[in-house]
Amino acid sequence: MNEQDEKTRVTTIVQKPVAEEPGAAGGDCLVVIYTKEPTLLGKRFVLDSTPGASRIGIGRGAENQIVLEGDSVSRRHAHIELRGNSWWVVDDNSTNGTYVNDEQIRRELGLTNGDRVKVGPTIFKYLSGQDVEAQYHEEIYKMTIIDGLTGAHVKRYLLESLDKEIIRARRHVRDLSFIMFDIDHFKKINDFHGHLAGDHVLKELARIVQARIRRDEVFARYGGEEFALLLPETNLEGARALAEGLREKVEQSRFIFQNENIPVTISMGVAMLADSHKTSLDLIKAADEKLYEAKRSGRNRVIS
């Protein structure tokens, strides 16, 4: 499946004295943990507490220390400022709001270590304390296995896990199932409600799925609005039952963003490892073909 058509882009970082210093040791900082522009992922912005440099603007305008381009980013969207010994995020009357830990702030909010600040499609993580350098490297590691928006595993981690589970399943003659699913008409959600609403739907969907799977099952964002589930020691009947339960739960859930209820359904394809599957890609293809069949036959259904 193709990733969603993205209109919102983050493309440019203007280098200013207060901004990125990748080699700097210590000091509070903002780290980009999610972005629509891959080259920005993992960027670190050290928060300079020296006089005259303790206000960091974020927005589309070139006067900002952190410049982000995108339809949902205002020219002067927000800023980070030092008050006493604490950093605060302040929304500068932006059109689409500034979010901290998924909640839109009314005007301003003091930051604590680990807070996630969202401006448009970009998510920063605020790191503070004596072990900032260690925290930073931990975040960089997490980015290799966890999707910053949804908290699901990334595609690379899924593929590595799938290869291992196929070897284990064949060695011990155990069942292994795989589910592919995506959000029905996701482009329409983005077009009608906006990309920030689309991000909210992705995050809430991931939360629903994560609450209903076992620890040994791997849930991953495969790409865009498409997700996958790897189910060790699960036969086709069990995988289909799980998929149907998830489909019903999503359809019954309320996805509310900025007081708007967004109807959401998913289509799901289910496959089980067979002797004819020579590689992991063969199993993925089998599930993906069932997903296409589910979408062709009307969406909001499970095909196995």
Side-chain angles (χ1 to χ4, degrees):
M1 304 296 291
N2 293 326
E3 295 191 11
Q4 67 264 40
D5 179 27
E6 297 291 353
K7 292 184 178 180
T8 302
R9 299 180 63 249
V10 180
T11 57
T12 306
I13 292 291
V14 173
Q15 299 294 331
K16 298 285 183 75
V18 73
E20 184 193 5
E21 298 177 13
D28 297 351
C29 63
L30 295 174
V31 180
V32 179
I33 63 169
Y34 181 78
T35 174
K36 301 294 175 68
E37 188 68 24
T39 57
L40 296 182
L41 195 62
K43 294 282 188 178
R44 172 167 53 173
F45 298 93
V46 175
L47 303 180
D48 191 344
S49 60
T50 58
S54 56
R55 186 184 189 281
I56 298 92
I58 305 173
R60 285 191 294 110
E63 68 274 14
N64 295 286
Q65 283 75 18
I66 301 176
V67 179
L68 308 176
E69 294 184 359
D71 295 340
S72 56
V73 180
S74 297
R75 182 174 181 82
R76 294 181 178 178
H77 195 106
H79 70 270
I80 309 293
E81 67 177 47
L82 185 63
R83 298 181 183 178
N85 295 321
S86 301
W87 290 97
W88 287 62
V89 59
V90 182
D91 183 80
D92 294 325
N93 298 314
S94 65
T95 301
N96 292 293
T98 302
Y99 293 77
V100 175
N101 302 329
D102 301 320
E103 296 291 335
Q104 184 173 354
I105 64 174
R106 293 181 179 273
R107 166 61 179 166
E108 58 190 17
L109 187 69
L111 293 174
T112 58
N113 188 35
D115 281 346
R116 296 157 58 101
V117 180
K118 192 169 191 289
V119 175
T122 301
I123 302 175
F124 302 89
K125 190 166 186 177
Y126 171 66
L127 301 181
S128 177
Q130 298 299 317
D131 59 346
V132 168
E133 194 69 16
Q135 292 180 59
Y136 171 69
H137 289 292
E138 182 180 354
E139 288 301 324
I140 295 301
Y141 169 70
K142 285 181 180 178
M143 290 174 200
T144 66
I145 61 173
I146 299 294
D147 175 61
L149 176 67
T150 63
H153 284 101
V154 298
K155 181 178 178 180
R156 177 182 174 183
Y157 181 89
L158 171 74
L159 296 179
E160 291 175 352
S161 299
L162 180 56
D163 286 337
K164 294 175 183 176
E165 290 298 338
I166 287 178
I167 293 173
R168 185 177 292 113
R170 285 183 165 150
R171 178 183 300 155
H172 300 289
V173 194
R174 294 173 179 170
D175 293 328
L176 179 66
S177 292
F178 194 79
I179 300 174
M180 294 284 285
F181 63 98
D182 70 8
I183 300 171
D184 297 326
H185 302 298
F186 186 69
K187 185 178 183 300
K188 291 183 179 179
I189 293 175
N190 276 333
D191 291 345
F192 186 78
H193 297 280
H195 286 269
L196 294 183
D199 284 353
H200 173 77
V201 168
L202 290 169
K203 187 174 180 65
E204 283 298 296
L205 172 63
R207 183 186 61 78
I208 291 170
V209 175
Q210 287 165 329
R212 297 176 70 89
I213 61 174
R214 301 179 308 194
R215 182 175 298 180
D216 62 336
E217 296 170 341
V218 178
F219 170 51
R221 187 179 181 187
Y222 198 79
E225 76 275 23
E226 190 169 30
F227 295 86
L229 273 169
L230 172 60
L231 309 175
E233 299 186 36
T234 304
N235 61 22
L236 190 63
E237 182 181 355
R240 181 181 174 85
L242 173 63
E244 186 60 37
L246 288 172
R247 185 202 65 77
E248 291 179 358
K249 180 65 176 178
V250 171
E251 184 180 26
Q252 295 166 3
S253 296
R254 289 169 57 83
F255 294 76
I256 299 176
F257 183 75
Q258 294 183 341
N259 298 320
E260 283 190 285
N261 183 40
I262 305 171
V264 177
T265 60
I266 56 176
S267 297
M268 313 186 78
V270 184
M272 190 174 78
L273 182 65
D275 292 339
S276 59
H277 297 148
K278 303 304 180 184
T279 68
S280 58
L281 294 181
D282 292 332
L283 178 56
I284 293 173
K285 182 180 179 182
D288 202 36
E289 288 175 349
K290 296 299 182 180
L291 170 57
Y292 271 102
E293 185 178 342
K295 298 183 83 67
R296 285 195 303 267
S297 59
R299 294 183 169 84
N300 190 24
R301 62 194 62 202
V302 176
I303 299 291
S304 60

